[in-house]
Amino acid sequence: MMGKLYIRLGLAMLCLFMLLGGALIVISSNTSEMYSLEITQRINRDIALHAAEDMPLLQDGEVNKPALKELAHHVMFINPIVEVYLLDVDGRVLSHALPYGTVLLDQVDMDPLHRFMEGKEALPIFGEDPRSPEASKVFSVSPIEQEGETVAYLYTVLNGKTHDGLRESLSNSYHLSTGSYAIAGSLGLAGLAGLLIVAAMTRRLRRLVEAVRVYRGDAFQGRLELDSAVYSDSDDEIDELAQAISAMSERIEQQFQSLQDVDNTRRELIANVSHDLRTPLSSMQGYLETILARGDRLEEHEKRQYLEVAYKHSRRLNELVGELFELAKLESGNIEPELEAFPLMELIQDLVQDYQLQAQEKQISLSAQCEELDLSVVADIGLIHRVLENLLQNALRYTPRGGEIVLSAQRDAERVWVEVVDDGEGIASQDIAHIFDRFYRPEASTKQQSGLGLAIVKRVIDLHRSHIDVISEPQRGTCFKFWLMATA
C-alpha cells in the first residue's frame, strides 16, 4: 500500500504541513511574546523615573529603606509583577523590598541599562533579573542624582518572579490545550485533504499505468488504447505523457509490422532467388550431363549447340549473382556516390554504340537525341552508366521487332532531365508502383525473365538525391525519366 505514488505524495504533504505548522507556531509564538514584551517595556518605560521623583531613596548618602519599601509596595500594588531594586553606579544591589533570601544576584550588568537610557536601540531590551539569574527580563531604569551627579539607579524588573509563576500556572490552561488540539486537528484535516487532492490529481496517472500494464501483459502487441478518463482538456504533463506513450505504442506496432514485412520480403526474395538461380543451373546441368552421357554419339553441331545453351545459362547465372551483390552493396548504406562533372551526351552515345549491334539483330531502332551536345552533369559516372545500361537493356527486352528506343537529355534550369523511351509492350497501371521491387514480374508480361535491374536503378537514383518517374501504357510503350544536377 505504501508503494502507491499518491499515498507517498499525501504523506509527504502531511509532513510538509506539520513542519510548516510547527514553524508557524514557533514563529508566531516568539513574535507574539516579543511583541508583548515590547509593549510592556514601552508602557512602563518611565515607571522608574516617576518612582524616583516621588520618593527620596537616598538621604545623606545612605539608602532610605523605609522610602524604598514604601515605593516598592506602591509600585507592586499598581502592578504586582514589577520588582524594584536600588543599584549603585556599578550595578551592585544596594537594597530592595523583597523577602530575604529570594534575591540571588548582588550585582547587575549595567550595559543593557545604559543602552536603555540612551534610547537609541529598538525595544525590547533585556536585563538581568536578580531573582532569576538564568533568565533575562524587560526592565525600566532611572538615574538618581544628587547635586547634578548620578549616585544610584532605580531598577525595576517588569516581568518578575510573580510573572513567571503565573505563566507556569497557565501552561496547562484549558484555552491553551484547546488551541493546541485545534491546531493538531487542523493539521490532520489538512493532511487528509491533501491526500484526497493528490489521489484525485493522480487518478489519470493511475489509469495510464493500468493501461500500460495491460499493454505489457499483451506482449506489446497492437496499439495502446487509452480511454477518455486518461485525457483531459488541461493539456498538462499527464496528457503529454499519455500522448507520448500512445505514439510510442503506435511506433512499436509499425516497427513490428515493418519487421514482419521485411521477413515476408526476405522469404519472397529467397524464393525468387532460388527460382531464378535454379532455372539456369538446371538447364546448364541438363545439357552438360547430356554431353557427358552421349558425347561420343552426338554430332559436332549438336555438341556445339548444347555448349552454347549451357554457356548462355552460365552467363545469365553470372549476371544474376552480380546483380545480387550489386544490390546488396547499394542497400547496405556503405556506398557514397563519387560526384564529378562529366559530359552526359558522350556517355549516352557510348552506350548507344555499345548496344547498336544487339538492337540491329532485333531490328530495333536505337538512337540518342540532345539539343546541347556539350551538356554536362555532376554525378557518379560509373553509377549513372549502370542506370542507363539497365534501362536500355530493359527497353531492348520489352521492345518488339521494328520498334524504336530513344535516349535523350534536356536541360531545365539547374537540372538535366534524362529519358529512355521505347514503344514496346508498356506497363499496366497496377504494375507501375511495383516495377522497382526486386524480382517483380508484371503478370501481363510475355517475358519470363525477371531480375534486379530496375531495383538497382532506383537505389542509384536515390543515392543521387533524385527520383525517377515512369510513364507507360500497355502496347504503347514506356518512358523512364529522371534528373541530374547540371554543371554551372
Side-chain angles (χ1 to χ4, degrees):
M1 188 65 176
M2 293 298 293
K4 299 294 185 181
L5 177 62
Y6 76 95
I7 295 292
R8 297 202 302 270
L9 289 176
L11 291 176
M13 185 174 292
L14 177 60
C15 292
L16 181 62
F17 282 158
M18 294 180 66
L19 289 174
L20 182 60
L24 289 176
I25 290 173
V26 171
I27 293 173
S28 61
S29 176
N30 290 338
T31 303
S32 176
E33 183 176 1
M34 294 296 291
Y35 180 73
S36 175
L37 292 174
E38 180 181 357
I39 293 297
T40 299
Q41 196 167 34
R42 284 184 183 277
I43 292 175
N44 298 282
R45 184 182 187 97
D46 297 327
I47 187 173
L49 175 63
H50 296 317
E53 290 176 348
D54 294 339
M55 296 288 183
L57 302 178
L58 290 175
Q59 291 182 346
D60 301 329
E62 297 292 333
V63 176
N64 187 351
K65 292 185 177 181
L68 179 62
K69 186 173 182 180
E70 182 181 354
L71 173 63
H73 285 301
H74 177 72
V75 172
M76 293 180 68
F77 178 78
I78 298 174
N79 191 345
I81 64 174
V82 175
E83 298 172 355
V84 181
Y85 301 89
L86 185 66
L87 309 178
D88 67 7
V89 292
D90 294 325
R92 286 190 294 273
V93 179
L94 298 177
S95 182
H96 56 79
L98 299 170
Y100 179 78
T102 58
V103 178
L104 304 179
L105 291 180
D106 56 4
Q107 186 168 358
V108 175
D109 184 11
M110 291 298 295
D111 179 64
L113 279 63
H114 290 308
R115 289 190 282 115
F116 179 85
M117 288 184 290
E118 289 175 359
K120 297 180 180 180
E121 187 173 339
L123 301 181
I125 299 175
F126 297 94
E128 291 182 324
D129 181 2
R131 297 185 70 187
S132 303
E134 71 283 354
S136 297
K137 304 291 181 63
V138 291
F139 62 89
S140 176
V141 64
S142 178
I144 299 175
E145 299 181 350
Q146 287 183 353
E147 298 179 358
E149 182 179 356
T150 300
V151 296
Y153 293 95
L154 184 63
Y155 180 61
T156 58
V157 177
L158 302 179
N159 289 342
K161 195 74 172 177
T162 305
H163 173 271
D164 294 340
L166 291 173
R167 186 174 182 180
E168 291 178 2
S169 65
L170 292 174
S171 61
N172 296 322
S173 70
Y174 170 77
H175 294 289
L176 287 177
S177 300
T178 302
S180 300
Y181 292 145
I183 292 174
S186 299
L187 288 175
L189 290 177
L192 179 60
L195 181 62
L196 295 177
I197 292 172
V198 170
M201 293 180 65
T202 58
R203 180 180 61 85
R204 291 185 297 126
L205 184 60
R206 297 197 303 275
R207 296 292 295 271
L208 178 60
V209 170
E210 181 62 29
V212 172
R213 186 178 293 114
V214 172
Y215 179 60
R216 182 179 61 184
D218 293 337
F220 305 102
Q221 295 294 325
R223 182 177 178 181
L224 178 64
E225 297 295 337
L226 299 176
D227 56 27
S228 58
V230 176
Y231 293 103
S232 69
D233 298 329
S234 61
D235 195 24
D236 56 10
E237 289 80 358
I238 297 179
D239 280 334
E240 291 186 16
L241 179 61
Q243 292 169 6
I245 293 176
S246 180
M248 180 183 65
S249 69
E250 185 176 0
R251 180 66 181 274
I252 291 175
E253 182 183 14
Q254 292 175 353
Q255 289 180 340
F256 275 139
Q257 185 62 44
S258 177
L259 289 173
Q260 187 175 1
D261 293 341
V262 169
D263 185 64
N264 292 337
T265 302
R266 179 184 60 82
R267 294 174 184 273
E268 183 179 354
L269 176 62
I270 292 174
N272 290 333
V273 170
S274 300
H275 177 271
D276 280 55
L277 290 177
R278 186 184 298 112
T279 300
L281 277 174
S282 298
S283 298
M284 186 168 55
Q285 182 180 357
Y287 282 104
L288 293 176
E289 286 178 351
T290 301
I291 294 174
L292 290 174
R294 301 171 52 195
D296 54 345
R297 298 191 299 274
L298 293 175
E299 299 292 337
E300 286 298 324
H301 69 280
E302 290 180 320
K303 288 182 181 180
R304 183 174 182 82
Q305 181 182 0
Y306 290 168
L307 288 173
E308 287 177 351
V309 173
Y311 176 68
K312 183 182 71 172
H313 285 298
S314 68
R315 285 188 58 184
R316 172 57 189 155
L317 188 61
N318 184 63
E319 291 175 359
L320 184 58
V321 172
E323 289 177 346
L324 282 171
F325 278 112
E326 186 175 4
L327 183 60
K329 288 173 59 179
L330 291 171
E331 292 183 340
S332 67
N334 296 325
I335 293 182
E336 288 292 334
E338 298 179 0
L339 303 180
E340 59 177 322
F342 64 90
L344 179 61
M345 283 310 299
E346 288 188 12
L347 177 61
I348 291 177
Q349 289 173 349
D350 289 343
L351 281 167
V352 169
Q353 184 176 356
D354 291 340
Y355 284 88
Q356 194 64 250
L357 180 60
Q358 183 177 346
Q360 289 176 359
E361 291 177 351
K362 298 185 63 174
Q363 299 178 6
I364 296 175
S365 173
L366 176 59
S367 62
Q369 295 180 3
C370 183
E371 296 179 358
E372 301 179 38
L373 296 179
D374 59 344
L375 198 61
S376 296
V377 296
V378 178
D380 188 313
I381 186 171
L383 294 178
I384 298 303
H385 181 278
R386 183 61 168 155
V387 167
L388 293 174
E389 186 178 47
N390 285 2
L391 292 176
L392 186 53
Q393 289 176 353
N394 188 74
L396 287 170
R397 183 178 303 121
Y398 291 97
T399 302
R401 291 183 179 275
E404 182 180 11
I405 300 174
V406 178
L407 277 70
S408 64
Q410 183 178 1
R411 181 164 184 160
D412 179 12
E414 298 179 352
R415 299 175 178 178
V416 174
W417 289 92
V418 183
E419 295 184 359
V420 179
V421 182
D422 65 65
D423 57 359
E425 294 182 5
I427 305 171
S429 58
Q430 68 269 18
D431 294 325
I432 290 179
H434 304 285
I435 60 173
F436 295 109
D437 295 344
R438 291 170 292 190
F439 291 103
Y440 182 75
R441 181 188 295 111
E443 294 182 1
S445 175
T446 59
K447 306 295 181 183
Q448 296 301 315
Q449 189 177 23
S450 64
L452 303 170
L454 292 182
I456 293 173
V457 167
K458 182 66 167 61
R459 303 305 185 275
V460 172
I461 295 300
D462 289 343
L463 284 176
H464 283 79
R465 305 292 189 270
S466 179
H467 69 274
I468 185 167
D469 296 324
V470 183
I471 303 171
S472 182
E473 293 184 24
Q475 308 307 321
R476 299 192 62 178
T478 303
C479 172
F480 288 90
K481 183 178 181 179
F482 64 92
W483 57 265
L484 298 172
M485 294 301 299
T487 56

